[in-house]
Amino acid sequence: MTDLTVKLPGLDLKNPIMPASGCFGFGKEYAQLYDLSQLGAIMIKATTVETRLGNPTPRVAETASGMLNAIGLQNPGLEKVTGQELPWLEQYDVPIIANVAGTTMEDYVEVAKAISQAPNVRALEINISCPNVKQGGITFGTDPDVARELTRAVKEVSSVPVYIKLSPNVTNIVSIAKAVEEGGADGITMINTLLGMRMDTKTGRPIIANITGGLSGPAIKPVALRMVYEVSQHTKLPIIGMGGVTNVDDVIDFLSAGASAVAVGTANFVNPFVCPEIIGQLPERLHELGFDSVEQLVGRSHRL
Amino acid sequence: MIKQERMQIIKQQEIAKHIFELTVQGELANEMAEPGQFVHIRVADSFEPLLRRPISVASIDLEASQFTMIYRAEGRGTQLLAEKRPGDTLDVLGPLGHGFPVEEAQKKAYLIGGGIGVPPLYELAKQLNARGIETVHILGFESKQAVFYEDKFRDLGDTHIATVDGSHGTQGFVTHILNELPTDFDTYYSCGPTAMLEAVQWAYPQKKGFLSYEQRMGCGIGACFACVCRTTKSETDYIKVCSDGPVFPAGVVIS
């Protein structure tokens, strides 16, 4: 019997697969397609203090084996997320990881304090890496001192473990990872999207209204793997890895590189059943590779 | 209910310049209800192109468990779709979105379409006719080479064609024809470029109308918040074209 369970701070996962924040809304749409209780966890869409409208359209553009997006953290705001979205998700036996965003440190603290008290929220994912908002977001994730300070502030008010979502848009991701570890983070999620752009060849204008967008999809998997590999060697923090995961072998790769669990993002748009499909295939694939449990795979590349 | 299914291709043919008619068969067809809904198609099993393509449904045959789509092969995705042949299977997700409300028309309806916005109006015309509603079709195309389904629409009611270059029907846009037609209809339905939808809305401010919008999509089911539009109903919210629409009552969407 293959053991898919994973134990992480705050998270007792029945399997290591979860949809990534921003790619799954608050679960309602995918609940029309399958039972959400099958998932290891759900990382819900970023929540800010106030209702957020997000960026003008077009917000997405396709690229070679990837997509650019600049949604701009559109969400109904803290009150609606804690009052409506999270209670609705309680009907499913699945831990929720709440993604927290803001424009000031006070915003992050306010959302983290309130949302961490929701009964089904078992961990926070602090979004210091969104490339699509002018204030906040990535500005907190590119300076180690600021990232450390923000982690401390959020840890102080959160009643559940805190994971910090790292940006790949930095020169030295290890220094940011070490900084959030010093700040008291319980874990790391990585990576967020890579800043990119695409032009309309006919007009010469950028396609995305925000000019730039975050690149995701299979195109970024090599970058994400390299970063998980590096960070996992330099911190003790558990990592939830993501970036271009589309199938069961991608999951094996991320676990091998040092991730303890894996999130699936853009692939949900390509195949809305991708998460349950991967979960279904994982036991056989592990068995074929000679493993009895997911945990045996974590960081195996470092032991070879 | 939304389903994902590998549907079998029954027919694929070019019916106008770069315009293809594609018929598929499978269980998913039995879920089709409203004209104006769409499906999300994965055109390749590889990651290039990556995202699905939203394609509108032109006609539904529930008895045969089939439906037909009409699309323009212009980008990489739709060109790959045009290469598929009868017997091939296609990864289809649908039906998606909310279509045209047929029950809103009383006696006579105007169906106003532009280019690749014309196809969903065909199933709409069929369903309205089946309910005893008289339909008048005002359809705009780039040129004679791009015109399709003219005879099929004529079989269902009075049909007027406009072409931008004047090579067929009236020269100009659908609005040129609308200016000449009586306003003795009770409901209008429209699908096409946003500028056309705007012009139609301006032409009939007193009439009940339903408009089908387009926007770049990610997921197609309402989860990714890519295909949003501002609305006159709220200053603090967007509506999603894929799941709240693509059809909205006239006067709701700020384009």
Side-chain angles (χ1 to χ4, degrees), chain A residues 21-35:
Chain A
S21 179
C23 300
F24 210 71
F26 295 94
K28 281 197 177 110
E29 292 77 17
Y30 289 91
Q32 302 170 82
L33 303 174
Y34 60 84
D35 179 5

Side-chain angles (χ1 to χ4, degrees), chain A:
Chain A
M1 190 66 185
T2 314
D3 183 8
L4 295 188
T5 61
V6 174
K7 277 194 194 306
L8 295 174
L11 299 166
D12 235 340
L13 307 178
K14 49 176 105 71
N15 66 66
I17 306 302
M18 60 190 81
S21 179
C23 300
F24 210 71
F26 295 94
K28 281 197 177 110
E29 292 77 17
Y30 289 91
Q32 302 170 82
L33 303 174
Y34 60 84
D35 179 5
L36 302 184
S37 302
Q38 296 174 67
L39 300 166
I42 297 175
M43 299 168 129
I44 58 170
K45 191 158 171 54
T47 300
T48 52
V49 177
E50 305 292 342
T51 302
R52 195 158 182 147
L53 274 174
N55 292 324
T57 58
R59 291 175 166 189
V60 292
E62 198 172 38
T63 63
S65 296
M67 69 173 260
L68 290 165
N69 90 83
I71 307 296
L73 301 182
Q74 183 182 345
N75 78 91
L78 178 60
E79 203 181 309
K80 277 194 183 151
V81 172
T82 53
Q84 294 170 18
E85 307 290 356
L86 284 166
W88 182 86
L89 276 163
E90 278 180 46
Q91 63 187 297
Y92 298 101
D93 174 28
V94 59
I96 305 299
I97 302 173
N99 187 294
V100 175
T103 50
T104 64
M105 198 164 296
E106 290 73 31
D107 287 348
Y108 280 97
V109 166
E110 186 178 344
V111 176
K113 188 176 180 181
I115 211 165
S116 67
Q117 284 160 19
N120 49 349
V121 168
R122 302 290 156 71
L124 301 184
E125 178 182 51
I126 309 300
N127 186 351
I128 58 169
S129 47
C130 177
N132 298 323
V133 288
K134 288 187 175 62
Q135 290 176 311
I138 198 166
T139 53
F140 288 100
T142 51
D143 180 330
D145 293 334
V146 177
R148 186 187 304 109
E149 199 187 334
L150 180 73
T151 307
R152 276 203 185 112
V154 171
K155 265 301 282 182
E156 219 164 85
V157 298
S158 175
S159 47
V160 294
V162 170
Y163 292 68
I164 308 291
K165 187 166 188 175
L166 300 188
S167 167
N169 302 308
V170 293
T171 312
N172 183 354
I173 195 165
V174 171
S175 68
I176 309 284
K178 282 182 167 169
V180 303
E181 186 170 28
E182 288 161 14
D186 299 284
I188 285 169
T189 68
M190 61 187 292
I191 59 175
N192 207 318
T193 54
L194 284 147
L195 198 55
M197 69 190 298
R198 188 185 150 190
M199 313 308 282
D200 180 325
T201 311
K202 280 185 195 158
T203 66
R205 291 195 189 97
I207 289 178
I208 299 265
N210 194 48
I211 311 295
T212 59
L215 180 65
S216 62
I220 72 164
K221 186 190 152 192
V223 178
L225 267 185
R226 183 267 292 179
M227 288 183 158
V228 168
Y229 182 85
E230 278 182 6
V231 168
S232 65
Q233 284 178 305
H234 292 96
T235 79
K236 291 189 176 66
L237 296 179
I239 295 169
I240 300 174
M242 67 199 78
V245 174
T246 62
N247 59 41
V248 69
D249 280 356
D250 292 338
V251 172
I252 303 288
D253 289 352
F254 271 88
L255 295 170
S256 302
S260 297
V262 177
V264 182
T266 305
N268 288 290
F269 305 158
V270 181
N271 171 13
F273 294 90
V274 65
C275 288
E277 278 178 19
I278 290 175
I279 293 163
Q281 292 161 357
L282 203 48
E284 192 183 338
R285 193 72 185 112
L286 285 172
H287 182 72
E288 284 167 2
L289 292 167
F291 295 93
D292 302 322
S293 76
V294 165
E295 288 188 339
Q296 288 171 354
L297 253 90
V298 176
R300 74 169 165 153
S301 64
H302 306 304
R303 301 190 290 269
L304 300 173

